[in-house]
Amino acid sequence: MYIKRITIQNFKCFNGRHVIEFSLPDSSKIGSGLNIFVGENNSGKSTVFEAIDFLRDGTKKDLQLIKNKKSNENDEMIIELLFKGKINDVIDNFAQNNKKEVFKKYMYEKEGVQYLGLSRSSLNSKVISLWDEKEKKYKNEAGIDAPLKKLFEANFVWADTNPNEEMSFGSTTICGNLLKEIVKKFEETDEFKTFSTLFNKTFNDENSRLKRDLKRIEEKTQNIFLEQFGKAKISFHFDELKTEAFFKNTKIEIDDGTLTNMEEKGSGMQRSVALALLQVYAEELIKHPDNSDINKPFFLFIDEPEICLHPQAQKKLFDALHEISKLRQVFFTTHSPYFIKTEVLANVYHFENKEKITILPTDENKTALIDVKKDFLNTDVCEIFFAKKVLCVEGKTDFKRFSIFFSGIIHDFSDWSIIKMNNKEEAKKFWRLLKCFCSDFKIILDLDAITGKRINKLGVESETNTFRNFFSNDDIQNKIISLGKKNRKELLNINLTEEEIKTKNAILKLLKNEGVFVLQQGEIEDYLDQNGNLIDKGKKTELEEIFK
């Protein structure tokens, strides 16, 4: 059973109604169950986690703090989850006996697939409602909140979670719960029964050394009480020590060359241990008490897993989550390029918060990612996923000269991240990637990007297909083909007829509409020197137009 979809309405920064379709595990493909949220701070990434947490445990939340501030007073705040998968099996194995039929009443099928819909709203935040597919509305059922939580487990590691708190052995922490599961079985063993007998013999038996020493204190206390307050028998009795009491004094020790208590280690080490224990806890938590082959649905939510982790540790953690997500749904927010890989691009959701939350890619442009090759992404290119605005240039020369020039004339150029391609042939891949994940981008290319042939530095002519079959726009295709036999020098206006200039300008305009800007008079060396200064002041207007 997996979370197929969440609907968030008027919750925190989500003004209005937003629907997110999640990636689901495919047991044959590692990484399939990853859901990776990227984007600037305050763009809604962690809010998705909070929305799911609210649906599971809404009674703990102050509605005034979590309702969207831009919504009207009477606007309803709603969180909806749609589960998909073997829901009937989950109900049979993990639901309370007296609630199984209730849950099954709301389970429905479409094309042989089972679904279950849940909702919690501000109209009655104390109850979870179930979706009635026949009547097409949510209904309340008494007493299902707690039983419903037992159908699936969700663990949240927030960005501000203190690893020491998670690693303590309190009743609600990871370690506390993990030991609690082990202790249940241990208390039934002969070893524990022997310990219990010895405890009572040592502390409570009248013939024990401790009890004889305490007898003197008991008698003195009793005599004083008799004189001052009245007759009464006073004695010390030690209740049998519960196993939970041992947890308070339990510590995790780490020996990485020096044996040290975990709280004395650095934050990175502490967080790494916490995440490792969480994975172990998840495996223990989901086991069926009588059948180890049956697992309870488990969802892992990690807010910024890279916090305090060295890049190599981030890579290892990603590999672990990558493997886990083949069978489990894993959700995490990140600002680190080490958690973005080519093979999981379809699992990346880019959040933007301008006037309204936007989540990319959309269903329409997600299919464009299929063409991106496996060796395409590196940590520099991954900056695309974390940048406000992206400017792509052809290579190192363009990167240096454009960086200097634009930073001197564009007052907000610091908002732009400049990404260098290896060559213009990569423009197609970059354009498709940017169309999916970035709403504000520009690609700058030399003039020979629109030609069908090029003469290299050795004087050898070669074919290039930068824009051939690039866009689905037939108008662009036809116009590019018409100039395809010319090289860059032949494409300069002084070498074109009036009709060819019109065609060239039409191509440049169409490309500009797609976020691609082609230098009309040649290449970067024709515009800027190595210090980023204009070679020809007459070309300044063309460069300035790129950012207008």
Side-chain angles (χ1 to χ4, degrees), residues 8-12 54 61-63 66-68 71 74-79 119-123 125:
I8 304 175
Q9 179 174 312
N10 298 326
F11 183 85
K12 298 195 79 170
F54 168 71
K61 309 296 181 182
D62 184 340
L63 297 185
I66 60 177
K67 188 175 179 182
N68 180 267
S71 60
N74 296 325
D75 288 343
E76 190 176 3
M77 182 184 70
I78 304 172
I79 306 297
S119 175
R120 192 186 293 273
S121 88
S122 55
L123 291 182
S125 64

mmCIF file with all atom_site columns, all heavy atoms in Angstrom, residues 8-12 54 61-63 66-68 71 74-79 119-123 125:
data_model
loop_
_atom_site.group_PDB
_atom_site.id
_atom_site.type_symbol
_atom_site.label_atom_id
_atom_site.label_alt_id
_atom_site.label_comp_id
_atom_site.label_asym_id
_atom_site.label_entity_id
_atom_site.label_seq_id
_atom_site.pdbx_PDB_ins_code
_atom_site.Cartn_x
_atom_site.Cartn_y
_atom_site.Cartn_z
_atom_site.occupancy
_atom_site.B_iso_or_equiv
_atom_site.pdbx_formal_charge
_atom_site.auth_seq_id
_atom_site.auth_comp_id
_atom_site.auth_asym_id
_atom_site.auth_atom_id
_atom_site.pdbx_PDB_model_num
ATOM 1   N N   . ILE A 1 8   ? -3.619  19.184 -1.081 1.00 0.00 ? 8   ILE A N   1
ATOM 2   C CA  . ILE A 1 8   ? -3.410  20.156 -0.002 1.00 0.00 ? 8   ILE A CA  1
ATOM 3   C C   . ILE A 1 8   ? -4.188  21.421 -0.338 1.00 0.00 ? 8   ILE A C   1
ATOM 4   O O   . ILE A 1 8   ? -4.009  22.009 -1.403 1.00 0.00 ? 8   ILE A O   1
ATOM 5   C CB  . ILE A 1 8   ? -1.915  20.504 0.150  1.00 0.00 ? 8   ILE A CB  1
ATOM 6   C CG1 . ILE A 1 8   ? -1.097  19.235 0.372  1.00 0.00 ? 8   ILE A CG1 1
ATOM 7   C CG2 . ILE A 1 8   ? -1.699  21.483 1.297  1.00 0.00 ? 8   ILE A CG2 1
ATOM 8   C CD1 . ILE A 1 8   ? 0.400   19.472 0.424  1.00 0.00 ? 8   ILE A CD1 1
ATOM 9   N N   . GLN A 1 9   ? -5.049  21.834 0.569  1.00 0.00 ? 9   GLN A N   1
ATOM 10  C CA  . GLN A 1 9   ? -5.875  23.023 0.326  1.00 0.00 ? 9   GLN A CA  1
ATOM 11  C C   . GLN A 1 9   ? -5.795  23.968 1.522  1.00 0.00 ? 9   GLN A C   1
ATOM 12  O O   . GLN A 1 9   ? -6.134  23.602 2.649  1.00 0.00 ? 9   GLN A O   1
ATOM 13  C CB  . GLN A 1 9   ? -7.331  22.600 0.079  1.00 0.00 ? 9   GLN A CB  1
ATOM 14  C CG  . GLN A 1 9   ? -8.288  23.755 -0.160 1.00 0.00 ? 9   GLN A CG  1
ATOM 15  C CD  . GLN A 1 9   ? -9.678  23.280 -0.545 1.00 0.00 ? 9   GLN A CD  1
ATOM 16  O OE1 . GLN A 1 9   ? -9.836  22.426 -1.414 1.00 0.00 ? 9   GLN A OE1 1
ATOM 17  N NE2 . GLN A 1 9   ? -10.690 23.819 0.103  1.00 0.00 ? 9   GLN A NE2 1
ATOM 18  N N   . ASN A 1 10  ? -5.304  25.194 1.249  1.00 0.00 ? 10  ASN A N   1
ATOM 19  C CA  . ASN A 1 10  ? -5.236  26.267 2.261  1.00 0.00 ? 10  ASN A CA  1
ATOM 20  C C   . ASN A 1 10  ? -4.484  25.857 3.523  1.00 0.00 ? 10  ASN A C   1
ATOM 21  O O   . ASN A 1 10  ? -4.850  26.227 4.636  1.00 0.00 ? 10  ASN A O   1
ATOM 22  C CB  . ASN A 1 10  ? -6.659  26.728 2.631  1.00 0.00 ? 10  ASN A CB  1
ATOM 23  C CG  . ASN A 1 10  ? -7.392  27.319 1.444  1.00 0.00 ? 10  ASN A CG  1
ATOM 24  O OD1 . ASN A 1 10  ? -6.787  27.962 0.592  1.00 0.00 ? 10  ASN A OD1 1
ATOM 25  N ND2 . ASN A 1 10  ? -8.689  27.085 1.373  1.00 0.00 ? 10  ASN A ND2 1
ATOM 26  N N   . PHE A 1 11  ? -3.413  25.099 3.324  1.00 0.00 ? 11  PHE A N   1
ATOM 27  C CA  . PHE A 1 11  ? -2.586  24.643 4.445  1.00 0.00 ? 11  PHE A CA  1
ATOM 28  C C   . PHE A 1 11  ? -1.242  25.357 4.382  1.00 0.00 ? 11  PHE A C   1
ATOM 29  O O   . PHE A 1 11  ? -0.516  25.256 3.400  1.00 0.00 ? 11  PHE A O   1
ATOM 30  C CB  . PHE A 1 11  ? -2.397  23.129 4.361  1.00 0.00 ? 11  PHE A CB  1
ATOM 31  C CG  . PHE A 1 11  ? -1.609  22.541 5.506  1.00 0.00 ? 11  PHE A CG  1
ATOM 32  C CD1 . PHE A 1 11  ? -2.228  22.207 6.698  1.00 0.00 ? 11  PHE A CD1 1
ATOM 33  C CD2 . PHE A 1 11  ? -0.246  22.311 5.373  1.00 0.00 ? 11  PHE A CD2 1
ATOM 34  C CE1 . PHE A 1 11  ? -1.498  21.656 7.743  1.00 0.00 ? 11  PHE A CE1 1
ATOM 35  C CE2 . PHE A 1 11  ? 0.496   21.759 6.417  1.00 0.00 ? 11  PHE A CE2 1
ATOM 36  C CZ  . PHE A 1 11  ? -0.140  21.434 7.603  1.00 0.00 ? 11  PHE A CZ  1
ATOM 37  N N   . LYS A 1 12  ? -0.947  26.143 5.423  1.00 0.00 ? 12  LYS A N   1
ATOM 38  C CA  . LYS A 1 12  ? 0.299   26.906 5.513  1.00 0.00 ? 12  LYS A CA  1
ATOM 39  C C   . LYS A 1 12  ? 0.543   27.704 4.223  1.00 0.00 ? 12  LYS A C   1
ATOM 40  O O   . LYS A 1 12  ? -0.281  28.502 3.827  1.00 0.00 ? 12  LYS A O   1
ATOM 41  C CB  . LYS A 1 12  ? 1.458   25.982 5.880  1.00 0.00 ? 12  LYS A CB  1
ATOM 42  C CG  . LYS A 1 12  ? 1.256   25.321 7.261  1.00 0.00 ? 12  LYS A CG  1
ATOM 43  C CD  . LYS A 1 12  ? 2.491   24.704 7.831  1.00 0.00 ? 12  LYS A CD  1
ATOM 44  C CE  . LYS A 1 12  ? 3.412   25.742 8.442  1.00 0.00 ? 12  LYS A CE  1
ATOM 45  N NZ  . LYS A 1 12  ? 4.513   25.136 9.203  1.00 0.00 ? 12  LYS A NZ  1
ATOM 46  N N   . PHE A 1 54  ? -0.198  16.135 9.782  1.00 0.00 ? 54  PHE A N   1
ATOM 47  C CA  . PHE A 1 54  ? -1.469  16.682 10.269 1.00 0.00 ? 54  PHE A CA  1
ATOM 48  C C   . PHE A 1 54  ? -2.608  15.705 10.029 1.00 0.00 ? 54  PHE A C   1
ATOM 49  O O   . PHE A 1 54  ? -3.477  15.515 10.876 1.00 0.00 ? 54  PHE A O   1
ATOM 50  C CB  . PHE A 1 54  ? -1.766  18.009 9.569  1.00 0.00 ? 54  PHE A CB  1
ATOM 51  C CG  . PHE A 1 54  ? -3.168  18.517 9.774  1.00 0.00 ? 54  PHE A CG  1
ATOM 52  C CD1 . PHE A 1 54  ? -3.570  19.014 11.000 1.00 0.00 ? 54  PHE A CD1 1
ATOM 53  C CD2 . PHE A 1 54  ? -4.101  18.483 8.736  1.00 0.00 ? 54  PHE A CD2 1
ATOM 54  C CE1 . PHE A 1 54  ? -4.865  19.474 11.195 1.00 0.00 ? 54  PHE A CE1 1
ATOM 55  C CE2 . PHE A 1 54  ? -5.391  18.939 8.925  1.00 0.00 ? 54  PHE A CE2 1
ATOM 56  C CZ  . PHE A 1 54  ? -5.781  19.430 10.154 1.00 0.00 ? 54  PHE A CZ  1
ATOM 57  N N   . LYS A 1 61  ? -2.477  19.852 16.424 1.00 0.00 ? 61  LYS A N   1
ATOM 58  C CA  . LYS A 1 61  ? -2.107  21.056 15.690 1.00 0.00 ? 61  LYS A CA  1
ATOM 59  C C   . LYS A 1 61  ? -3.040  22.229 16.017 1.00 0.00 ? 61  LYS A C   1
ATOM 60  O O   . LYS A 1 61  ? -4.246  22.055 16.171 1.00 0.00 ? 61  LYS A O   1
ATOM 61  C CB  . LYS A 1 61  ? -2.154  20.783 14.182 1.00 0.00 ? 61  LYS A CB  1
ATOM 62  C CG  . LYS A 1 61  ? -1.382  19.545 13.745 1.00 0.00 ? 61  LYS A CG  1
ATOM 63  C CD  . LYS A 1 61  ? 0.102   19.667 14.010 1.00 0.00 ? 61  LYS A CD  1
ATOM 64  C CE  . LYS A 1 61  ? 0.851   18.434 13.542 1.00 0.00 ? 61  LYS A CE  1
ATOM 65  N NZ  . LYS A 1 61  ? 2.277   18.499 13.838 1.00 0.00 ? 61  LYS A NZ  1
ATOM 66  N N   . ASP A 1 62  ? -2.457  23.420 16.104 1.00 0.00 ? 62  ASP A N   1
ATOM 67  C CA  . ASP A 1 62  ? -3.225  24.647 16.284 1.00 0.00 ? 62  ASP A CA  1
ATOM 68  C C   . ASP A 1 62  ? -3.638  25.140 14.899 1.00 0.00 ? 62  ASP A C   1
ATOM 69  O O   . ASP A 1 62  ? -2.804  25.548 14.094 1.00 0.00 ? 62  ASP A O   1
ATOM 70  C CB  . ASP A 1 62  ? -2.366  25.698 16.985 1.00 0.00 ? 62  ASP A CB  1
ATOM 71  C CG  . ASP A 1 62  ? -3.143  26.970 17.299 1.00 0.00 ? 62  ASP A CG  1
ATOM 72  O OD1 . ASP A 1 62  ? -4.191  27.199 16.662 1.00 0.00 ? 62  ASP A OD1 1
ATOM 73  O OD2 . ASP A 1 62  ? -2.691  27.733 18.167 1.00 0.00 ? 62  ASP A OD2 1
ATOM 74  N N   . LEU A 1 63  ? -4.925  25.101 14.604 1.00 0.00 ? 63  LEU A N   1
ATOM 75  C CA  . LEU A 1 63  ? -5.404  25.433 13.256 1.00 0.00 ? 63  LEU A CA  1
ATOM 76  C C   . LEU A 1 63  ? -5.061  26.863 12.853 1.00 0.00 ? 63  LEU A C   1
ATOM 77  O O   . LEU A 1 63  ? -4.847  27.147 11.672 1.00 0.00 ? 63  LEU A O   1
ATOM 78  C CB  . LEU A 1 63  ? -6.920  25.219 13.177 1.00 0.00 ? 63  LEU A CB  1
ATOM 79  C CG  . LEU A 1 63  ? -7.420  23.784 13.383 1.00 0.00 ? 63  LEU A CG  1
ATOM 80  C CD1 . LEU A 1 63  ? -8.925  23.723 13.161 1.00 0.00 ? 63  LEU A CD1 1
ATOM 81  C CD2 . LEU A 1 63  ? -6.701  22.811 12.476 1.00 0.00 ? 63  LEU A CD2 1
ATOM 82  N N   . ILE A 1 66  ? -1.588  26.834 11.264 1.00 0.00 ? 66  ILE A N   1
ATOM 83  C CA  . ILE A 1 66  ? -1.298  26.054 10.062 1.00 0.00 ? 66  ILE A CA  1
ATOM 84  C C   . ILE A 1 66  ? -2.217  26.390 8.884  1.00 0.00 ? 66  ILE A C   1
ATOM 85  O O   . ILE A 1 66  ? -1.957  25.950 7.766  1.00 0.00 ? 66  ILE A O   1
ATOM 86  C CB  . ILE A 1 66  ? -1.361  24.537 10.339 1.00 0.00 ? 66  ILE A CB  1
ATOM 87  C CG1 . ILE A 1 66  ? -2.753  24.136 10.843 1.00 0.00 ? 66  ILE A CG1 1
ATOM 88  C CG2 . ILE A 1 66  ? -0.292  24.136 11.319 1.00 0.00 ? 66  ILE A CG2 1
ATOM 89  C CD1 . ILE A 1 66  ? -2.906  22.648 11.066 1.00 0.00 ? 66  ILE A CD1 1
ATOM 90  N N   . LYS A 1 67  ? -3.241  27.183 9.118  1.00 0.00 ? 67  LYS A N   1
ATOM 91  C CA  . LYS A 1 67  ? -4.099  27.556 7.999  1.00 0.00 ? 67  LYS A CA  1
ATOM 92  C C   . LYS A 1 67  ? -3.443  28.681 7.200  1.00 0.00 ? 67  LYS A C   1
ATOM 93  O O   . LYS A 1 67  ? -2.806  29.574 7.761  1.00 0.00 ? 67  LYS A O   1
ATOM 94  C CB  . LYS A 1 67  ? -5.469  28.007 8.498  1.00 0.00 ? 67  LYS A CB  1
ATOM 95  C CG  . LYS A 1 67  ? -6.465  28.233 7.355  1.00 0.00 ? 67  LYS A CG  1
ATOM 96  C CD  . LYS A 1 67  ? -7.858  28.556 7.862  1.00 0.00 ? 67  LYS A CD  1
ATOM 97  C CE  . LYS A 1 67  ? -8.810  28.790 6.700  1.00 0.00 ? 67  LYS A CE  1
ATOM 98  N NZ  . LYS A 1 67  ? -10.173 29.149 7.150  1.00 0.00 ? 67  LYS A NZ  1
ATOM 99  N N   . ASN A 1 68  ? -3.590  28.623 5.864  1.00 0.00 ? 68  ASN A N   1
ATOM 100 C CA  . ASN A 1 68  ? -2.981  29.626 4.992  1.00 0.00 ? 68  ASN A CA  1
ATOM 101 C C   . ASN A 1 68  ? -3.478  31.023 5.339  1.00 0.00 ? 68  ASN A C   1
ATOM 102 O O   . ASN A 1 68  ? -4.682  31.261 5.459  1.00 0.00 ? 68  ASN A O   1
ATOM 103 C CB  . ASN A 1 68  ? -3.298  29.292 3.531  1.00 0.00 ? 68  ASN A CB  1
ATOM 104 C CG  . ASN A 1 68  ? -2.693  30.281 2.566  1.00 0.00 ? 68  ASN A CG  1
ATOM 105 O OD1 . ASN A 1 68  ? -3.326  31.243 2.171  1.00 0.00 ? 68  ASN A OD1 1
ATOM 106 N ND2 . ASN A 1 68  ? -1.454  30.046 2.195  1.00 0.00 ? 68  ASN A ND2 1
ATOM 107 N N   . SER A 1 71  ? -5.891  32.818 2.838  1.00 0.00 ? 71  SER A N   1
ATOM 108 C CA  . SER A 1 71  ? -7.248  32.288 2.636  1.00 0.00 ? 71  SER A CA  1
ATOM 109 C C   . SER A 1 71  ? -8.244  33.078 3.479  1.00 0.00 ? 71  SER A C   1
ATOM 110 O O   . SER A 1 71  ? -7.880  33.706 4.482  1.00 0.00 ? 71  SER A O   1
ATOM 111 C CB  . SER A 1 71  ? -7.300  30.811 3.020  1.00 0.00 ? 71  SER A CB  1
ATOM 112 O OG  . SER A 1 71  ? -6.957  30.644 4.380  1.00 0.00 ? 71  SER A OG  1
ATOM 113 N N   . ASN A 1 74  ? -13.640 31.839 6.124  1.00 0.00 ? 74  ASN A N   1
ATOM 114 C CA  . ASN A 1 74  ? -14.553 30.718 5.938  1.00 0.00 ? 74  ASN A CA  1
ATOM 115 C C   . ASN A 1 74  ? -14.022 29.645 4.995  1.00 0.00 ? 74  ASN A C   1
ATOM 116 O O   . ASN A 1 74  ? -14.685 28.625 4.777  1.00 0.00 ? 74  ASN A O   1
ATOM 117 C CB  . ASN A 1 74  ? -15.905 31.227 5.417  1.00 0.00 ? 74  ASN A CB  1
ATOM 118 C CG  . ASN A 1 74  ? -16.603 32.132 6.419  1.00 0.00 ? 74  ASN A CG  1
ATOM 119 O OD1 . ASN A 1 74  ? -16.493 31.920 7.633  1.00 0.00 ? 74  ASN A OD1 1
ATOM 120 N ND2 . ASN A 1 74  ? -17.310 33.137 5.927  1.00 0.00 ? 74  ASN A ND2 1
ATOM 121 N N   . ASP A 1 75  ? -12.832 29.875 4.403  1.00 0.00 ? 75  ASP A N   1
ATOM 122 C CA  . ASP A 1 75  ? -12.253 28.871 3.500  1.00 0.00 ? 75  ASP A CA  1
ATOM 123 C C   . ASP A 1 75  ? -11.836 27.642 4.306  1.00 0.00 ? 75  ASP A C   1
ATOM 124 O O   . ASP A 1 75  ? -11.209 27.753 5.362  1.00 0.00 ? 75  ASP A O   1
ATOM 125 C CB  . ASP A 1 75  ? -11.034 29.432 2.770  1.00 0.00 ? 75  ASP A CB  1
ATOM 126 C CG  . ASP A 1 75  ? -11.421 30.458 1.719  1.00 0.00 ? 75  ASP A CG  1
ATOM 127 O OD1 . ASP A 1 75  ? -12.610 30.487 1.350  1.00 0.00 ? 75  ASP A OD1 1
ATOM 128 O OD2 . ASP A 1 75  ? -10.540 31.221 1.278  1.00 0.00 ? 75  ASP A OD2 1
ATOM 129 N N   . GLU A 1 76  ? -12.157 26.490 3.768  1.00 0.00 ? 76  GLU A N   1
ATOM 130 C CA  . GLU A 1 76  ? -11.844 25.245 4.462  1.00 0.00 ? 76  GLU A CA  1
ATOM 131 C C   . GLU A 1 76  ? -10.393 24.833 4.197  1.00 0.00 ? 76  GLU A C   1
ATOM 132 O O   . GLU A 1 76  ? -9.891  24.965 3.086  1.00 0.00 ? 76  GLU A O   1
ATOM 133 C CB  . GLU A 1 76  ? -12.787 24.140 3.980  1.00 0.00 ? 76  GLU A CB  1
ATOM 134 C CG  . GLU A 1 76  ? -12.722 22.867 4.800  1.00 0.00 ? 76  GLU A CG  1
ATOM 135 C CD  . GLU A 1 76  ? -13.755 21.841 4.344  1.00 0.00 ? 76  GLU A CD  1
ATOM 136 O OE1 . GLU A 1 76  ? -14.465 22.119 3.355  1.00 0.00 ? 76  GLU A OE1 1
ATOM 137 O OE2 . GLU A 1 76  ? -13.830 20.771 4.956  1.00 0.00 ? 76  GLU A OE2 1
ATOM 138 N N   . MET A 1 77  ? -9.747  24.352 5.235  1.00 0.00 ? 77  MET A N   1
ATOM 139 C CA  . MET A 1 77  ? -8.409  23.772 5.090  1.00 0.00 ? 77  MET A CA  1
ATOM 140 C C   . MET A 1 77  ? -8.570  22.254 5.023  1.00 0.00 ? 77  MET A C   1
ATOM 141 O O   . MET A 1 77  ? -9.178  21.647 5.908  1.00 0.00 ? 77  MET A O   1
ATOM 142 C CB  . MET A 1 77  ? -7.532  24.156 6.274  1.00 0.00 ? 77  MET A CB  1
ATOM 143 C CG  . MET A 1 77  ? -6.112  23.641 6.193  1.00 0.00 ? 77  MET A CG  1
ATOM 144 S SD  . MET A 1 77  ? -5.171  24.050 7.684  1.00 0.00 ? 77  MET A SD  1
ATOM 145 C CE  . MET A 1 77  ? -5.956  22.972 8.870  1.00 0.00 ? 77  MET A CE  1
ATOM 146 N N   . ILE A 1 78  ? -8.008  21.637 3.983  1.00 0.00 ? 78  ILE A N   1
ATOM 147 C CA  . ILE A 1 78  ? -8.225  20.210 3.760  1.00 0.00 ? 78  ILE A CA  1
ATOM 148 C C   . ILE A 1 78  ? -6.914  19.527 3.387  1.00 0.00 ? 78  ILE A C   1
ATOM 149 O O   . ILE A 1 78  ? -6.138  20.057 2.599  1.00 0.00 ? 78  ILE A O   1
ATOM 150 C CB  . ILE A 1 78  ? -9.249  19.968 2.618  1.00 0.00 ? 78  ILE A CB  1
ATOM 151 C CG1 . ILE A 1 78  ? -10.574 20.676 2.906  1.00 0.00 ? 78  ILE A CG1 1
ATOM 152 C CG2 . ILE A 1 78  ? -9.475  18.477 2.402  1.00 0.00 ? 78  ILE A CG2 1
ATOM 153 C CD1 . ILE A 1 78  ? -11.544 20.631 1.747  1.00 0.00 ? 78  ILE A CD1 1
ATOM 154 N N   . ILE A 1 79  ? -6.700  18.344 3.947  1.00 0.00 ? 79  ILE A N   1
ATOM 155 C CA  . ILE A 1 79  ? -5.625  17.459 3.514  1.00 0.00 ? 79  ILE A CA  1
ATOM 156 C C   . ILE A 1 79  ? -6.259  16.122 3.129  1.00 0.00 ? 79  ILE A C   1
ATOM 157 O O   . ILE A 1 79  ? -7.024  15.549 3.909  1.00 0.00 ? 79  ILE A O   1
ATOM 158 C CB  . ILE A 1 79  ? -4.568  17.214 4.617  1.00 0.00 ? 79  ILE A CB  1
ATOM 159 C CG1 . ILE A 1 79  ? -4.023  18.539 5.145  1.00 0.00 ? 79  ILE A CG1 1
ATOM 160 C CG2 . ILE A 1 79  ? -3.449  16.317 4.086  1.00 0.00 ? 79  ILE A CG2 1
ATOM 161 C CD1 . ILE A 1 79  ? -3.296  19.377 4.110  1.00 0.00 ? 79  ILE A CD1 1
ATOM 162 N N   . SER A 1 119 ? -9.155  11.844 4.598  1.00 0.00 ? 119 SER A N   1
ATOM 163 C CA  . SER A 1 119 ? -9.179  13.302 4.623  1.00 0.00 ? 119 SER A CA  1
ATOM 164 C C   . SER A 1 119 ? -9.309  13.798 6.055  1.00 0.00 ? 119 SER A C   1
ATOM 165 O O   . SER A 1 119 ? -9.932  13.159 6.899  1.00 0.00 ? 119 SER A O   1
ATOM 166 C CB  . SER A 1 119 ? -10.355 13.823 3.788  1.00 0.00 ? 119 SER A CB  1
ATOM 167 O OG  . SER A 1 119 ? -10.462 15.234 3.892  1.00 0.00 ? 119 SER A OG  1
ATOM 168 N N   . ARG A 1 120 ? -8.676  14.961 6.318  1.00 0.00 ? 120 ARG A N   1
ATOM 169 C CA  . ARG A 1 120 ? -8.891  15.685 7.568  1.00 0.00 ? 120 ARG A CA  1
ATOM 170 C C   . ARG A 1 120 ? -9.032  17.149 7.204  1.00 0.00 ? 120 ARG A C   1
ATOM 171 O O   . ARG A 1 120 ? -8.262  17.664 6.389  1.00 0.00 ? 120 ARG A O   1
ATOM 172 C CB  . ARG A 1 120 ? -7.729  15.500 8.546  1.00 0.00 ? 120 ARG A CB  1
ATOM 173 C CG  . ARG A 1 120 ? -8.067  16.014 9.960  1.00 0.00 ? 120 ARG A CG  1
ATOM 174 C CD  . ARG A 1 120 ? -6.873  15.971 10.878 1.00 0.00 ? 120 ARG A CD  1
ATOM 175 N NE  . ARG A 1 120 ? -6.407  14.652 11.211 1.00 0.00 ? 120 ARG A NE  1
ATOM 176 C CZ  . ARG A 1 120 ? -6.870  13.909 12.219 1.00 0.00 ? 120 ARG A CZ  1
ATOM 177 N NH1 . ARG A 1 120 ? -7.862  14.362 12.971 1.00 0.00 ? 120 ARG A NH1 1
ATOM 178 N NH2 . ARG A 1 120 ? -6.359  12.717 12.467 1.00 0.00 ? 120 ARG A NH2 1
ATOM 179 N N   . SER A 1 121 ? -10.006 17.818 7.780  1.00 0.00 ? 121 SER A N   1
ATOM 180 C CA  . SER A 1 121 ? -10.253 19.208 7.405  1.00 0.00 ? 121 SER A CA  1
ATOM 181 C C   . SER A 1 121 ? -10.430 20.075 8.642  1.00 0.00 ? 121 SER A C   1
ATOM 182 O O   . SER A 1 121 ? -10.607 19.583 9.758  1.00 0.00 ? 121 SER A O   1
ATOM 183 C CB  . SER A 1 121 ? -11.494 19.316 6.510  1.00 0.00 ? 121 SER A CB  1
ATOM 184 O OG  . SER A 1 121 ? -12.662 19.457 7.268  1.00 0.00 ? 121 SER A OG  1
ATOM 185 N N   . SER A 1 122 ? -10.395 21.387 8.412  1.00 0.00 ? 122 SER A N   1
ATOM 186 C CA  . SER A 1 122 ? -10.544 22.333 9.520  1.00 0.00 ? 122 SER A CA  1
ATOM 187 C C   . SER A 1 122 ? -11.978 22.379 10.051 1.00 0.00 ? 122 SER A C   1
ATOM 188 O O   . SER A 1 122 ? -12.205 22.885 11.148 1.00 0.00 ? 122 SER A O   1
ATOM 189 C CB  . SER A 1 122 ? -10.117 23.735 9.063  1.00 0.00 ? 122 SER A CB  1
ATOM 190 O OG  . SER A 1 122 ? -10.840 24.128 7.910  1.00 0.00 ? 122 SER A OG  1
ATOM 191 N N   . LEU A 1 123 ? -12.934 21.851 9.298  1.00 0.00 ? 123 LEU A N   1
ATOM 192 C CA  . LEU A 1 123 ? -14.321 21.855 9.776  1.00 0.00 ? 123 LEU A CA  1
ATOM 193 C C   . LEU A 1 123 ? -14.475 20.964 10.994 1.00 0.00 ? 123 LEU A C   1
ATOM 194 O O   . LEU A 1 123 ? -15.244 21.260 11.906 1.00 0.00 ? 123 LEU A O   1
ATOM 195 C CB  . LEU A 1 123 ? -15.264 21.383 8.660  1.00 0.00 ? 123 LEU A CB  1
ATOM 196 C CG  . LEU A 1 123 ? -15.432 22.331 7.472  1.00 0.00 ? 123 LEU A CG  1
ATOM 197 C CD1 . LEU A 1 123 ? -16.429 21.766 6.473  1.00 0.00 ? 123 LEU A CD1 1
ATOM 198 C CD2 . LEU A 1 123 ? -15.876 23.716 7.927  1.00 0.00 ? 123 LEU A CD2 1
ATOM 199 N N   . SER A 1 125 ? -11.373 18.977 12.719 1.00 0.00 ? 125 SER A N   1
ATOM 200 C CA  . SER A 1 125 ? -9.998  18.485 12.664 1.00 0.00 ? 125 SER A CA  1
ATOM 201 C C   . SER A 1 125 ? -9.743  17.299 13.588 1.00 0.00 ? 125 SER A C   1
ATOM 202 O O   . SER A 1 125 ? -8.683  16.676 13.529 1.00 0.00 ? 125 SER A O   1
ATOM 203 C CB  . SER A 1 125 ? -9.027  19.616 13.007 1.00 0.00 ? 125 SER A CB  1
ATOM 204 O OG  . SER A 1 125 ? -9.221  20.038 14.343 1.00 0.00 ? 125 SER A OG  1
#
